[in-house]
Every structure is written in structure tokens, then in C-alpha cells.
Amino acid sequence: MFNPKRLSLARKRRRLTAKALAELAGLAIDTVLRLEKGAHSPDDMTIARLARALAYPHSFFTSSDPMDLDVDAVSFRSFSKLSVREREAAIAAGSLGLQLSAWVEERFALPQIKMLDLSYETNPEVAALNLRQFWGIGERPIGDMLGLLETHGVRVFSLSENTAAVNAFSFWRDNKPYIFLNNFKTAESSIFDTAHELGHLVMHKHGDPKGIRSSEREADAFASAFLMPERDVIARIPRPITVDLVLRAKQRWRVSAMAMAYRMKALRLLSDYQYKSICIELGRRGYRTAEPGGIERETSIVWRKMLSHLWSERTTKAEIARDLNMPLDELEGLIWNLAAVGSHPDRNDKPLLHAV
Ligand SMILES: [Zn+2]
């Protein structure tokens, strides 16, 4: 049976209008529109044309309904900046991610979910400290933010959207936390986005706070406080603060130079005037749009382990994609294009997951 929702999903993933798809597939636009509405059942030949035009496997279009995201419950940063097409493509990636996640959970026991519901907390600094305390990580810098979230049960996927407009988004579904991260930004920005989405997950689990609270401001403040705890920053930063000191500090806390300087200002280590002149100098050295000499991108440890386990059973990524009726490029886009190879022997590693 042909599934109209799947046609719509694949078209949105490929960022095509119905008209563009019709042209690519050599079909009338009316046909495409009626197929997506479910008003018309296509023959095998038509499905084959659509599959070829979209570079999706034929079987994708005859599978069960996709797992939809509750779009209202999804946190989108700079939501207004997204074009409809970017937004739809990202939401469709989320839907594929859910499908992949369900596939994984049938095969592996993922780390237990250890999250706090801090939606009553209106102070992001306090919320960040509470979560750190709950996770028992003190106030030290975090060496691997993505890994930290994964070990506490957050399901993290990458978004290979070739645009910086889509930062990241997160949501709860069936009491499981999900984060999707754009791979296109600098590693430092991605870490900040991860912490920002973590802020949404713990502070805005039940949706946007009402009244004078701004969820975006709160998530940013949470990220800043979570990555750069006040006491640690104040204890470690000598005065006077120079640009070179900011650049050394950003290495320690694994954030962008601008985020580091902003935190110093927020903690009153820098006056408004000092902050401004440091920002100007950082901009001059190229730190407004990039992170010269930046750190390596964080990728999923859960997926690395899963892939190496599957590889040991001779299961390749192409086979996983086939099992999911998904194109390989979509699967790879969701898992940082990680390679399926044998694991680097890490004997002291605590087992993070096991096959079920
Ligand atoms: Zn946000």
C-alpha cells in the first residue's frame, strides 16, 4: 500500500516543492498533489518514478506511517529565521531520526534516562547548577558535552543541513529526550547549542514558559552557566583580562571566544566597555564568524559503539538503511557520517550499552 505521508516526508527532506518534484519525476503536478493528499493510489511505475526522483528506496513509500514530531513541542531556536523549506526539511529529519531511534531501541539497551524536570525553576544559573549536582559532575569544565548527554539517556542525532540557519532542536516524546544538532557550525557553537537544547529539555519540558519568561533567553543563560559555572570561572580567571586570556580560557571551557567573553561580562569580570573592546579585537582576529584553531567536533559515542558492535556482526550501514527503508545518505546524515569500523580497543571503558 502506498503511503501518502511518506511521499510528503521524502519531498520535504529533499527540499522540493510539489511542482519541482513533478518535473523531476515526469509527472503532472496535479498527480503529485493528489498523491500526497491520498486522493489517488499510484501504480508501481509511478512510485518508481517518484522513488528515482527523490533518491529514496521504493520500499520507503509503502511502509507504515512515519513517526511525526509534535511540531508545537519542538524547540526551534531562531525559528523565525527559517524558511518554510528549511523548517520542513528539519522536521522531516526529526521524523527519520525517531524511526532510527526506534530501530536502535529494539536492538540495544541505551543508557538510562537521568534527567531533571526543572520547569518550576526560573533562574537558569540555579537550574544549571542543580543539573550538574544531580549528575555529580561538580563545577569542572565538561570534556565531552555530547557524550555527557548520551550517558544520561538523551538521544542525540546530527542534522546535516547545509545551512547555519538551522541550529538545533530538541523535544520530549514518550518521556524520552531528543536533540538534533546541526553539523554545519563550528564545534564550539555546536557544544553551546547542545547545552542550549539541554536547557530547553530540563526547563521547558511542558512547553514555553508563560508571562515575562523568555525560553530562548533562559536556554542561552542555562547553556552559559552549565558550560562555564560561575565559581569555577571566577576562581580561574586572573585579572586584568586580555584578549589572549579570553582565548586561553575558551580552550579550557570549550566554548567560542565570544561566548567566553560574554560570560565574563555577565559575571562582572568585564565592564561593558572592556567587553566591547575585547569583542572588537576578537572580531578583528576572525572570531566573530569562526573559531581559528578550534577544537574537534564532538560526535556520538553511543553511535560509535553501536556501529562497531554491528560491524562485528558484519552488519553495515547500508544494511541498516535497507532495514529502515531509508536512503543511506539520510542515515549517515543523522549519525555524523561516522564510519562503521571495528572499535578502537578501549579496555577501561565502562560498557555504555549492550545488545538486547
Ligand atoms: Zn532555543
Side-chain angles (χ1 to χ4, degrees), residues 75-77 196-197 200 215-216 219:
S75 81
F76 262 110
R77 181 137 53 124
H196 175 104
E197 295 307 324
H200 281 314
S215 59
E216 284 315 291

Side-chain angles (χ1 to χ4, degrees), residues 32-336:
V32 171
L33 290 172
R34 281 171 48 205
L35 286 175
E36 275 198 33
K37 280 201 198 105
H40 178 63
S41 222
D43 54 28
D44 239 28
M45 184 75 115
T46 309
I47 301 178
R49 283 179 167 204
L50 291 164
R52 201 164 40 233
L54 290 160
Y56 263 64
H58 192 290
S59 53
F60 180 84
F61 302 96
T62 52
S63 307
S64 56
D65 276 356
M67 299 167 83
D68 282 329
L69 271 67
D70 174 3
V71 176
D72 293 332
V74 174
S75 81
F76 262 110
R77 181 137 53 124
S78 317
F79 186 77
S80 53
K81 278 193 213 152
L82 296 185
S83 69
V84 174
R85 220 178 285 181
E86 283 170 344
R87 178 168 168 257
E88 285 183 342
I91 290 170
S95 175
L96 294 179
L98 282 175
Q99 205 191 318
L100 177 54
S101 204
W103 185 93
V104 164
E105 282 180 59
E106 279 172 19
R107 288 157 182 85
F108 294 93
L110 290 172
Q112 249 197 325
I113 297 166
K114 288 190 212 118
M115 292 284 275
L116 284 179
D117 182 354
L118 297 169
S119 38
Y120 59 86
E121 182 55 69
T122 55
N123 184 341
E125 292 275 342
V126 175
L129 277 183
N130 279 350
L131 186 61
R132 270 182 168 265
Q133 204 166 36
F134 180 62
W135 284 354
I137 53 171
E139 296 184 15
R140 295 183 321 271
I142 294 160
D144 178 6
M145 185 63 190
L146 212 162
L148 180 69
L149 264 62
E150 286 188 315
T151 52
H152 292 92
V154 182
R155 278 78 170 144
V156 192
F157 292 95
S158 61
L159 281 171
S160 297
E161 316 298 274
N162 202 17
T163 161
V166 185
N167 287 323
F169 60 88
S170 60
F171 55 90
W172 285 89
R173 190 187 152 110
D174 301 332
N175 260 316
K176 290 171 195 161
Y178 295 86
I179 294 182
F180 288 75
L181 288 171
N182 193 339
N183 254 342
F184 192 65
K185 304 177 71 188
T186 64
E188 287 84 349
S189 292
S190 280
I191 290 173
F192 198 90
D193 288 346
T194 312
H196 175 104
E197 295 307 324
L198 177 63
H200 281 314
L201 287 173
V202 296
M203 292 189 78
H204 311 131
K205 185 174 180 181
H206 312 289
D208 251 11
K210 301 284 180 294
I212 54 161
R213 291 174 64 185
S214 148
S215 59
E216 284 315 291
R217 240 192 343 258
E218 286 185 359
D220 271 339
F222 177 95
S224 207
F226 191 81
L227 294 172
M228 299 166 275
E230 176 172 3
R231 277 209 304 223
D232 192 38
V233 173
I234 289 176
R236 298 278 173 170
I237 297 288
R239 279 17 83 84
I241 296 172
T242 61
V243 170
D244 289 326
L245 182 70
V246 172
L247 293 179
R248 277 207 305 281
K250 79 153 213 142
Q251 303 280 354
R252 174 179 160 86
W253 282 281
R254 294 168 61 81
V255 293
S256 70
M258 289 294 182
M260 191 73 240
Y262 186 83
R263 182 64 172 155
M264 289 169 171
K265 182 183 82 114
L267 295 176
R268 296 175 202 283
L269 298 173
L270 288 174
S271 68
D272 283 359
Y273 174 77
Q274 289 170 313
Y275 171 68
K276 250 183 226 157
S277 46
I278 280 184
C279 284
I280 290 168
E281 177 60 17
L282 286 174
R284 216 179 51 75
R285 297 196 197 179
Y287 285 94
R288 191 169 294 282
T289 50
E291 292 300 317
I295 57 176
E296 206 184 317
R297 175 171 307 283
E298 292 182 347
T299 57
S300 162
I301 41 171
V302 163
W303 268 102
R304 270 202 306 264
K305 281 177 197 278
M306 250 166 349
L307 287 174
S308 71
H309 179 92
L310 291 166
W311 182 250
S312 70
E313 297 176 338
R314 298 285 171 263
T315 304
T316 62
K317 279 193 287 186
E319 278 164 305
I320 304 173
R322 225 177 357 257
D323 223 13
L324 285 159
N325 303 308
M326 211 184 264
L328 182 59
D329 68 303
E330 292 284 24
L331 171 69
E332 292 190 311
L334 287 165
I335 59 171
W336 294 265

